[in-house]
Amino acid sequence: TSHTLIAKPGTGYIFSGWAGSVVASTPTLTFTLQGAVVLQANFIPNPFPAVKGVYNGLFFETGGVTQQSSGAFKITTTSLGTFTGLLRMGAATYSLNGKFDAVGRASVTIARSGLNPLTVQLQLDLANGTDQITGTVSDGTWTAVLSGDRTVFNGSTRIAPQAGRYTMTIAGDDNSASEPAGDGYAAVTVSAAGAVKVSGVLADGTKFSQSTAVSKNGRWPLY
């Protein structure tokens, strides 16, 4: 049954019409109702301020990357455990939002016109200091593994050690039926704040560009 509880430590309170008393002792608040019914609430520190921020990453099937079951994401979390984000698959972009539970779990369902909905399961690391979000993305037929890193550099108090300009090659494979034989290339810049900008050309002449961020471990998602 749903009831309304109004309480202040050291005062009386009202619980579905019953009067009682409140005893506050860190980290426990105990409510004693008439009729010898006792409710106890345990307080835990808010874990979300330490891990709030922007997370960038990829998702794909570990058994083989395919276009229809892979993509990129960007999620922004708050100090209250809520989040908003974007999920990109091919030319389509989907928005997602929700709230993590006390252990950092969240589930989001994304409706898609003419296609099966996507179920996104997220796990925010609250305890190990990895600055990562992991999880899965599934349409009910395939399931892709999701992984992303938090942006931790700010360009002032935390400088990205990878800051600089780079030239990247995308090597082809003469013996592959699914990969190009020719090489691609790109120019990459990383700012002091860890912002990554890449612009290049694939082996078939297709131009591409992307903006993202580098993680504290030096990883950045390219999709």
Side-chain angles (χ1 to χ4, degrees), residues 56 74 88 195-199 209-213 220-222:
N56 294 278
K74 181 178 182 179
R88 181 182 174 190
V196 178
K197 292 185 177 181
V198 55
S199 179
S209 62
Q210 183 177 330
S211 296
T212 183
W220 55 282
L222 175 62

Side-chain angles (χ1 to χ4, degrees), residues 48-57 72-87 94-100 106 108 120 122 124 131-133 146 148-151 212-213:
F48 298 110
V51 295
K52 73 174 183 178
V54 180
Y55 294 77
N56 294 278
F73 71 91
K74 181 178 182 179
I75 291 176
T76 302
T77 69
T78 72
S79 59
L80 297 178
T82 59
F83 65 89
T84 57
L86 296 174
L87 198 77
Y94 307 99
S95 61
L96 66 161
N97 61 81
K99 182 177 176 62
F100 294 101
V108 179
V120 183
L122 299 173
L124 181 62
D131 293 307
Q132 289 186 329
I133 283 181
L146 173 148
D149 297 286
R150 184 165 73 111
T151 302
T212 183

Side-chain angles (χ1 to χ4, degrees), residues 13 15 18-21 30-40:
Y13 69 97
F15 181 76
W18 293 87
S21 60
T30 301
F31 305 89
T32 304
L33 281 68
Q34 291 178 351
V37 178
V38 177
L39 301 179
Q40 180 172 296

Side-chain angles (χ1 to χ4, degrees), residues 1-221:
T1 304
S2 177
H3 301 285
T4 299
L5 176 64
I6 304 174
K8 292 183 178 180
T11 67
Y13 69 97
I14 299 172
F15 181 76
S16 192
W18 293 87
S21 60
V22 177
V23 178
S25 60
T26 305
T28 302
L29 188 64
T30 301
F31 305 89
T32 304
L33 281 68
Q34 291 178 351
V37 178
V38 177
L39 301 179
Q40 180 172 296
N42 293 318
F43 295 93
I44 60 173
N46 180 0
F48 298 110
V51 295
K52 73 174 183 178
V54 180
Y55 294 77
N56 294 278
L58 304 172
F59 59 90
F60 52 89
E61 292 184 86
T62 57
V65 179
T66 60
Q67 185 176 10
Q68 66 270 19
S69 60
S70 62
F73 71 91
K74 181 178 182 179
I75 291 176
T76 302
T77 69
T78 72
S79 59
L80 297 178
T82 59
F83 65 89
T84 57
L86 296 174
L87 198 77
R88 181 182 174 190
M89 299 182 69
T93 301
Y94 307 99
S95 61
L96 66 161
N97 61 81
K99 182 177 176 62
F100 294 101
D101 64 17
V103 294
R105 294 174 304 193
S107 180
V108 179
T109 300
I110 300 174
R112 299 188 296 170
S113 179
L115 297 170
N116 291 342
L118 295 175
T119 300
V120 183
Q121 302 286 350
L122 299 173
Q123 177 66 61
L124 181 62
D125 185 1
L126 301 178
N128 301 311
T130 62
D131 293 307
Q132 289 186 329
I133 283 181
T134 57
T136 59
V137 180
S138 177
D139 75 340
T141 301
W142 51 261
T143 298
V145 175
L146 173 148
S147 179
D149 297 286
R150 184 165 73 111
T151 302
V152 298
F153 304 115
N154 56 27
S156 56
T157 57
R158 295 195 69 177
I159 305 296
Q162 302 87 359
R165 297 178 179 271
Y166 302 83
T167 299
M168 181 177 74
T169 60
I170 305 173
D173 187 347
D174 292 336
N175 300 315
S176 173
S178 59
E179 298 178 23
D183 298 336
Y185 62 91
V188 182
T189 60
V190 182
S191 74
V196 178
K197 292 185 177 181
V198 55
S199 179
V201 181
L202 299 180
D204 64 356
T206 301
K207 295 181 180 181
F208 70 95
S209 62
Q210 183 177 330
S211 296
T212 183
V214 67
S215 74
K216 66 180 182 182
N217 298 320
R219 301 195 310 174
W220 55 282

